[in-house]
């Protein structure tokens, strides 16, 4: 979305202003990594719920049912190949983190979408929306690198835009330092509906 692109680029420019060197990178085999993430996630989800499915099937939302149905058609060979791709993704990131300290991407390709009517009762199955929301977090989830999301701006509807920062394994200290530098430049707006859970 244009608002996401603008907010994230502005945040990265802000880092540049405080001394960061910005380097454009290309994450090799990113689509293959996304496919591997999906296969591993769904097959492991099926393994976890396989024996509880008959008893609890009606309590699963549509998207979960769809994912579990897909997983039933995946083979052990699919799982092995996906994990080989995971190893390749780790190697790609190992190489990249020799060139850069932190990777910055949008946290999500869109701001939070509206909850559709009936979704609270029946759930919602919108694969396009889910993939748009999760697009940038898959690589860190697949490879186990630390990642953090920080607010950077707001869209026209006052929905927050966030930047995701990822660092190499065991570099959480660096990640928190950069995240703090990004977040300190943001003027935060309290949402219309706000619950102060720390003081409840």
């Amino acid at each position: 979305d244009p608002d996401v692109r603008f907010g994230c680029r502005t945040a990265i420019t802000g880092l540049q202003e405080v001394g960061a060197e910005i380097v454009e990178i290309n994450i090799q085999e990113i689509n293959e990594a996304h496919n591997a993430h999906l296969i591993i996630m769904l097959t492991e989800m099926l393994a976890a719920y396989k024996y509880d499915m008959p008893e609890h099937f009606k309590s699963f939302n549509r998207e979960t049912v769809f994912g579990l149905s897909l997983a039933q058609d995946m083979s052990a060979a699919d799982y092995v190949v996906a994990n080989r791709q995971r190893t390749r993704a780790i190697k790609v990131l190992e190489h990249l983190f020799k060139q850069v300290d932190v990777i910055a991407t949008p946290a999500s390709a869109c701001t939070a979408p509206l909850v559709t009517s009936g979704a609270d009762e029946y759930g919602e199955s919108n694969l396009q929306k889910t993939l748009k929301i999760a697009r940038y977090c898959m690589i860190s989830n697949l490879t186990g690198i630390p990642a953090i999301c920080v607010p950077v701006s707001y869209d026209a509807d006052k929905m927050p835009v966030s930047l995701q920062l990822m660092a190499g394994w065991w570099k959480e200290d660096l990640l928190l330092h950069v995240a703090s530098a990004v977040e300190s430049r943001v003027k935060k707006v309290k949402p219309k509906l706000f619950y102060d859970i720390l003081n409840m």
Side-chain angles (χ1 to χ4, degrees), residues 108-176:
S108 173
C110 60
T111 53
L114 293 173
V115 176
T116 55
S117 177
D120 55 339
E121 187 174 353
Y122 303 107
E124 182 180 357
S125 181
N126 187 329
L127 196 56
Q128 249 186 339
K129 187 190 290 184
T130 301
L131 291 175
K132 202 171 183 184
I133 292 168
R135 178 184 302 165
Y136 296 107
C137 69
M138 292 183 192
I139 191 71
S140 58
N141 193 31
L142 178 69
T143 60
I145 57 172
I148 190 170
C149 296
V150 289
V152 292
S153 65
Y154 297 87
D155 70 6
D157 296 320
K158 299 216 170 19
M159 296 300 289
V161 171
S162 294
L163 184 74
Q164 176 182 232
L165 301 166
M166 298 175 279
W169 298 266
W170 316 113
K171 298 282 187 178
E172 287 86 351
D173 57 333
L174 171 64
L175 205 54
L176 290 168

Side-chain angles (χ1 to χ4, degrees), residues 6-199:
F6 177 78
C8 291
R9 287 201 180 276
T10 301
I12 289 170
T13 301
L15 283 173
Q16 201 168 14
E17 289 169 1
V18 294
E21 181 187 352
I22 308 303
V23 179
E24 290 277 344
I25 62 165
N26 180 29
I27 301 178
Q28 298 291 325
E29 301 183 8
I30 191 68
N31 291 328
E32 291 83 351
H34 286 174
N35 291 338
H37 178 267
L38 188 66
I39 291 166
I40 292 167
M41 181 184 68
L42 291 178
T43 51
E44 290 186 356
M45 190 168 77
L46 179 64
Y49 288 116
K50 188 172 185 178
Y51 300 107
D52 294 326
M53 276 177 66
E55 185 182 347
H56 300 289
F57 186 79
K58 288 184 179 177
S59 65
F60 293 148
N61 68 30
R62 293 174 189 170
E63 203 161 39
T64 302
V65 170
F66 177 68
L68 290 170
S69 300
L70 281 177
Q72 287 180 323
D73 289 330
M74 293 174 187
S75 66
D78 293 329
Y79 185 74
V80 169
V81 170
N83 273 287
R84 286 177 180 163
Q85 186 61 48
R86 176 180 178 267
T87 301
R88 288 176 66 90
I90 289 170
K91 295 292 182 191
V92 165
L93 290 177
E94 283 176 348
H95 177 71
L96 280 176
F97 283 123
K98 289 175 183 171
Q99 302 168 48
V100 298
D101 297 312
V102 174
I103 296 172
T105 71
S108 173
C110 60
T111 53
L114 293 173
V115 176
T116 55
S117 177
D120 55 339
E121 187 174 353
Y122 303 107
E124 182 180 357
S125 181
N126 187 329
L127 196 56
Q128 249 186 339
K129 187 190 290 184
T130 301
L131 291 175
K132 202 171 183 184
I133 292 168
R135 178 184 302 165
Y136 296 107
C137 69
M138 292 183 192
I139 191 71
S140 58
N141 193 31
L142 178 69
T143 60
I145 57 172
I148 190 170
C149 296
V150 289
V152 292
S153 65
Y154 297 87
D155 70 6
D157 296 320
K158 299 216 170 19
M159 296 300 289
V161 171
S162 294
L163 184 74
Q164 176 182 232
L165 301 166
M166 298 175 279
W169 298 266
W170 316 113
K171 298 282 187 178
E172 287 86 351
D173 57 333
L174 171 64
L175 205 54
L176 290 168
H177 181 72
V178 177
S180 177
V182 171
E183 196 169 5
S184 67
R185 300 171 67 89
V186 180
K187 185 180 178 184
K188 294 179 187 170
V189 178
K190 187 182 271 190
K192 290 177 187 174
L193 188 60
F194 177 74
Y195 296 99
D196 187 355
I197 59 171
L198 296 177
N199 293 311

